[in-house]
Amino acid sequence: MAAIDKYEPGTSHFLLGNEAIARGALERGVNFVTGYPGTPSSEIVPALAQCAQKGKLHAEWSTNELAAVEGAAAAATAGLLSLSAMKNAGLSLALDFITHLSYTGLGPKGGACLMVVCDDPHGHSSGDETDSRWLARFATAPMVEPMTGQQAVELVKYAFDISQKHSAFVFYRGYTRLSHASNPITMGELPQDAPQASSDNSVSLNPYLSIDKHQDLLAKMEAIRAEFEQCPFNIYQGPDQPELVVVASGAGHLAAAEALETLGLEDRVGLLSLATIWPLPIDFVMEHLKNTSQVLVLEEVEPFMEAVVKETLVDNGQGEVAVFGKNSGHIPMAGEMTPDRAMSALARIFGLEAPARDQAYEQIIRQEVEPLVISRGLSWCAGCPHRASFWALGKAIKADGRDAYVTGEIGCSTLDVFPEGKEQIKLLHSMGSGTGTATGLGQLKPFGYEQPVVAVCGDSSFFHSSIPRLINAVYNQADMLQIILDNSATAMTGFQPHPGTGNTAENAPAPALDVAQVCNSIGCEVTIADPFDVRGTTKVMRELMGKQGVQVLILRRTCELVRMKAEKSHPYRITIDQEKCKGTECAVCSRDFRCPALYLDPVTGKTAFKEQICSGCGVCVEICPFKAISKQENN
Amino acid sequence: MPLTPDPYNLIISGIGGQGNILLSRLVGRLMFRAGYQVSIGETFGAAQRGGGVFSGVRISSKRLYGPIVPQGAGSMIISLEPLEALRMISQYGNPGVKALVNSEGIHPVAVLSQKASYPGDEAMSEAINKASEKAWLFNATRIALELNAPIAVNIVMLGGLVATGSLPLDEKEVADEVKASVPPHLAELNLTAYRRGLEAVAGA
């Protein structure tokens, strides 16, 4: 894919929603971009980093989302246009700073700041589907949300205008079906000049005297609401006297339009689509709801708009209008907005038949197709160091015999808890949380807790947020083993660099922080092992589980996908001795180790392997109990 | 040129890493250039770790549709793997759906761990045929391996799609787009993959 600054104004190109957001920021002249990877937001920072130019545009992967928003906000106080991109979970981490930033604003230098937060309704790639729109209300900050890819470009510019005019950061909400949808986008002009940055010492930006600042903030929000009343991206389509008005935002807009078309309701139902989510443009909304007795709200996950629309109707003396949506049971509370959900809700309200599959065909699907469809769970890639690490951990825990308890966090190591993982981790929450929860458990000895405690984290998570927790563990003298799976990448989200990799988002060299040194300086004892040395790793794990205090074990082995990209060849060729292989009687390599390249051949009953999947890591050689697998160096 | 049906909902499925995203974008670009409105919906992220992945390519001469294909509203299913074809048919199939399927199976890890068994080739082929108006099954992986380029399965499938005549795609324009979409040193290889796919389905 070409860098997004290479496209000529006036031409149209397919852009991913996240690239459209990035292009909009580029067209508006963004200067300072920060973020931390998290699906579905991860493509925004790289798209801008590709266009970086000294003195004009800086783009970085920050250590975590809190550092990211602080950097971006500061650049705006120095008069630049800044943007920070993160997923919903990242915003939760950044919230402490953001709630204060609302009170101070961005200062008098004329800068602007967008906090782009991409939600993941349906949790396609997330541990939750939390709805960040509530956080705009919570933080008393304006929020906008685009409905299409092209609008994503234009709305970025609009949001920057609002931010600059009101010296307020603006939340820009993306969502999976925008961020990861591709559409043809028509390109606009790119500006040539960048402002010069400087700080103004005549004002102090702090939230104190907070009651006064809160009052000022509320007045600012009212001014922004008045502006949102005129926002050209809030649109009404439909009859003057609608039988019902659909209020839609984000993915709800296109889903509603399709449902109305399919059900033939376009002349009877109005569609009020809102791009300004908070504060709600009350007058604009009431203008279009005053001539109807029924409203259906189509939005993803939480009934956020639904609640605000109800408040607005009651406040304006129209509490008798029937509001359908999530609370009425017309739209499920959990999960993303789909055309099917919109159709089913409208069909129910209007007493129509929603389109359904032919009965005879449905029979074929149920009887002939579905019985064959087995699940395809996620698992580690062939050659992934994590498979070997968790294999060793399982062996070490078994040998230790004290029912050790493993805590984990977010990243490729998370795949352990999926059905095709090794199912060692039993307590798993947010980024870096394995260390924090292990610290709690590691102090329970006085309560009779006898089990060894093992925390697992990745290298990017270590820098992101494990470090302060590890300091807490040392300070409070927990007994725990911290395993750091150092694969030299933020692998799960697409191999972005981090403070340990020695390069930046702009692919420039950077100091590579050493995980072992950081741990040493905190006061942890550090051991380093190679997970591909399965026996050695198992032995050292077992030893460390028997020790007091905070033990750190770094398992160092580059992510196989990163290695393959760089080296383009496999280290070993694998052969399986069909005489020695016990096949179905054993099946340790396929059934238990679960390398995707190894399988039991149903004809021979012995292990076979798929050469096109095998990465030649050679770990299977070590785990075979009958020495049936051997490896030769691949030259 | 009118499309039947309109919107035309193309589902492109496979396993993470098989190149279904590139394939969906190639088809999307070609149809956009031919004057249609196109939306591509993808889910990726965790899905690339051995899981099934699919894109919905929604093509219309009327207007822009959202990226999510309604249930049972698939016009054509292109699958780089037969089990994934069945998964897509069970969700998006209807009596008029067409299916273009690479017959080479890839076992889910659940099969390796003996929690499930992978359906037989004949059973899959029979089910795909029964649940579609027309189906083209061929071993695109074998063709790609013959070219010593297992990664080119998606381009073999693109050739197959053109040969089905299901979309107004011009043989030469597609070839030009393939050439423009890959690094120059891989152009000839991909064009061969494309032609081999075309021939395989045209001759079926």
Side-chain angles (χ1 to χ4, degrees), chain A residues 1 12-14 16 19 39 43 124-125 148-149 176-178 180-184 254-255 257-259 261 266 336-340 343 357-358 361 364-365 368-370 372-381 387 412 415 419-420 423 491-495 561 584 587 590-592 594-600 610 612-613, chain B residues 7 9 14-15 25 28-29 32 36-52 54 58 62-72 81 83-84 86-87 89-95 97 104-119 123-124 126-128 130-132 141 145 150:
Chain A
M1 174 105 7
S12 295
H13 301 272
F14 258 92
L16 202 60
E19 293 170 324
T39 315
E43 296 79 14
H124 292 285
S125 320
T148 64
T176 299
R177 298 304 184 170
L178 174 90
H180 286 177
S182 301
N183 290 114
L254 285 172
E258 181 166 1
E261 180 191 40
E266 285 158 311
E336 66 184 352
M337 179 49 60
T338 64
D340 298 287
M343 258 181 282
R357 233 168 9 192
D358 173 82
Y361 186 82
I364 295 175
I365 293 296
E368 318 266 341
V369 177
E370 279 175 1
L372 301 179
V373 181
I374 56 172
S375 74
R376 191 183 294 275
L378 304 179
S379 73
W380 293 301
C381 309
R387 180 177 287 103
C412 279
L415 293 173
E420 307 313 330
E423 299 178 57
M492 182 56 109
T493 48
F495 327 112
L561 298 181
T584 35
S590 52
R591 184 194 57 215
D592 301 338
R594 299 173 195 169
C595 171
L598 297 167
Y599 68 103
L600 276 175
K610 294 213 170 189
Q612 68 265 37
I613 297 176
Chain B
N9 298 323
I15 318 299
R25 289 186 188 169
R29 274 206 293 277
F32 170 61
Y36 299 96
Q37 297 261 24
V38 181
S39 260
I40 306 175
E42 296 155 357
T43 49
F44 51 83
Q48 64 189 299
R49 306 289 174 258
F54 74 97
R58 308 196 68 193
K62 296 184 285 184
R63 63 177 184 84
L64 183 75
Y65 282 85
I68 298 183
V69 176
Q71 300 289 299
E81 203 275 350
L83 173 61
E84 296 313 304
L86 288 169
R87 197 185 313 281
I89 287 174
S90 74
Q91 223 179 322
Y92 299 104
N94 56 72
V97 77
E104 175 82 12
I106 296 178
H107 291 188
V109 180
V111 172
L112 310 180
S113 57
Q114 300 176 11
K115 290 180 191 163
S117 53
Y118 193 78
M124 289 197 289
E126 199 181 313
I128 290 168
K130 258 195 189 162
S132 60
T141 301
L145 285 172

Side-chain angles (χ1 to χ4, degrees), chain B residues 5 7 19 38 52-53 62 71 73 81 90 109 120 130 146-147 151 165 180-182 186 191:
Chain B
V38 181
V53 286
K62 296 184 285 184
Q71 300 289 299
E81 203 275 350
S90 74
V109 180
K130 258 195 189 162
E146 279 167 23
L147 300 173
I151 197 100
S181 306
V182 298
L186 296 175
L191 284 173

Side-chain angles (χ1 to χ4, degrees), chain A residues 27-101:
Chain A
E27 291 180 6
R28 185 58 176 75
V30 70
N31 313 112
F32 197 89
V33 176
T34 66
Y36 185 82
T39 315
S41 71
S42 308
E43 296 79 14
I44 298 170
V45 169
L48 288 163
Q50 264 192 303
C51 312
Q53 221 178 317
K54 201 171 179 185
K56 203 172 164 192
L57 173 60
H58 160 95
E60 70 175 39
W61 284 126
S62 313
T63 312
N64 62 34
E65 294 85 350
L66 183 54
V69 300
E70 288 165 346
T77 67
L80 298 183
L81 263 59
S82 65
L83 180 154
S84 194
M86 69 213 86
K87 74 179 294 176
N88 49 349
L91 177 58
S92 304
L93 183 69
L95 216 51
D96 185 7
F97 176 78
I98 278 186
T99 47
H100 285 178
L101 186 63

Side-chain angles (χ1 to χ4, degrees), chain B residues 115-161:
Chain B
K115 290 180 191 163
S117 53
Y118 193 78
D121 290 349
E122 267 179 42
M124 289 197 289
S125 156
E126 199 181 313
I128 290 168
N129 275 296
K130 258 195 189 162
S132 60
E133 187 191 82
K134 185 156 176 51
W136 297 266
L137 278 105
F138 74 115
N139 195 321
T141 301
R142 196 181 303 146
I143 294 175
L145 285 172
E146 279 167 23
L147 300 173
N148 210 7
I151 197 100
V153 172
N154 54 353
I155 303 298
V156 177
M157 295 301 284
L158 178 64
L161 170 65

Side-chain angles (χ1 to χ4, degrees), chain A residues 311-396:
Chain A
E311 275 174 35
T312 305
L313 285 166
V314 171
D315 289 349
N316 286 273
Q318 286 202 52
E320 74 284 357
V321 172
V323 179
F324 303 113
K326 302 220 170 211
N327 285 306
S328 67
H330 287 75
I331 301 286
M333 279 281 180
E336 66 184 352
M337 179 49 60
T338 64
D340 298 287
R341 286 184 165 188
M343 258 181 282
S344 135
L346 282 162
R348 188 170 144 195
I349 294 166
F350 283 89
L352 300 167
E353 288 275 330
R357 233 168 9 192
D358 173 82
Q359 277 299 319
Y361 186 82
E362 196 65 50
Q363 285 287 91
I364 295 175
I365 293 296
R366 251 180 252 143
Q367 290 169 5
E368 318 266 341
V369 177
E370 279 175 1
L372 301 179
V373 181
I374 56 172
S375 74
R376 191 183 294 275
L378 304 179
S379 73
W380 293 301
C381 309
C384 176
H386 292 355
R387 180 177 287 103
S389 298
F390 280 95
W391 177 266
L393 182 58
K395 295 280 174 207

Side-chain angles (χ1 to χ4, degrees), chain A residues 467-490:
Chain A
I467 295 172
R469 283 130 159 175
L470 202 56
I471 292 172
N472 185 42
V474 172
Y475 172 53
N476 288 303
Q477 298 154 62
D479 292 316
M480 58 183 271
L481 167 59
Q482 171 71 58
I483 297 177
I484 301 169
L485 303 170
D486 184 359
N487 63 356
S488 304
T490 318

